[in-house]
Amino acid sequence: SAFAAMKKGGGKAKRNAASTRKGFGAPPPTFDQIVEGLRTRLPNEDAEARDCPCGSGQTYGECCRPFHVGEVLPRSPVEVLRTRYSAFAYRLPAYIIRTTHPECADWREDK
């Protein structure tokens, strides 16, 4: 019976041992490790030849991709907004975080 099994074990539930023996566990993943695990919405083929989601009328390769890969920095607030919009559309969080100003309420220092 359940009572007999409980009495046999002393009536106390056994705790599972921690799966790691490094103090409080393994360190949390880095930002780069998290981003690597996320799927983007970039098209698999011809992403650079497709229309840019920012609405400029140019292809992604001509318009926002150079900003996303760090080849060029935005020169105006409009460029920042367009490139951030296309980064959001293609799910590129690293670019959005890199272009968030420290005075913005959403900005957080990487800890």
Side-chain angles (χ1 to χ4, degrees), residues 9 11 32 49-50 52-53 69 74 77-79 87 95 104 110-111:
D32 292 331
R50 293 183 183 227
C52 191
V69 297
V78 172
E79 279 188 343
Y95 181 78
C104 177
D110 190 20
K111 295 181 180 182

Side-chain angles (χ1 to χ4, degrees), residues 7-59:
K7 187 171 181 176
K8 184 177 180 182
K12 294 183 180 179
K14 291 184 181 180
R15 292 185 178 174
N16 291 333
S19 62
T20 182
R21 295 178 188 218
K22 297 181 182 179
F24 291 106
T30 64
F31 174 74
D32 292 331
Q33 291 171 331
I34 293 170
V35 170
E36 286 175 12
L38 298 175
R39 290 182 9 200
T40 69
R41 292 184 182 132
L42 282 168
N44 292 335
E45 297 178 13
D46 301 327
E48 292 186 28
R50 293 183 183 227
D51 289 341
C52 191
C54 77
S56 67
Q58 296 178 314
T59 64

Side-chain angles (χ1 to χ4, degrees), residues 87-110:
F88 179 79
Y90 281 149
R91 197 181 285 163
L92 304 171
Y95 181 78
I96 296 168
I97 291 170
R98 273 196 326 265
T99 57
T100 301
H101 194 276
E103 291 180 11
C104 177
D106 292 331
W107 187 84
R108 300 284 186 272
E109 186 174 349
D110 190 20

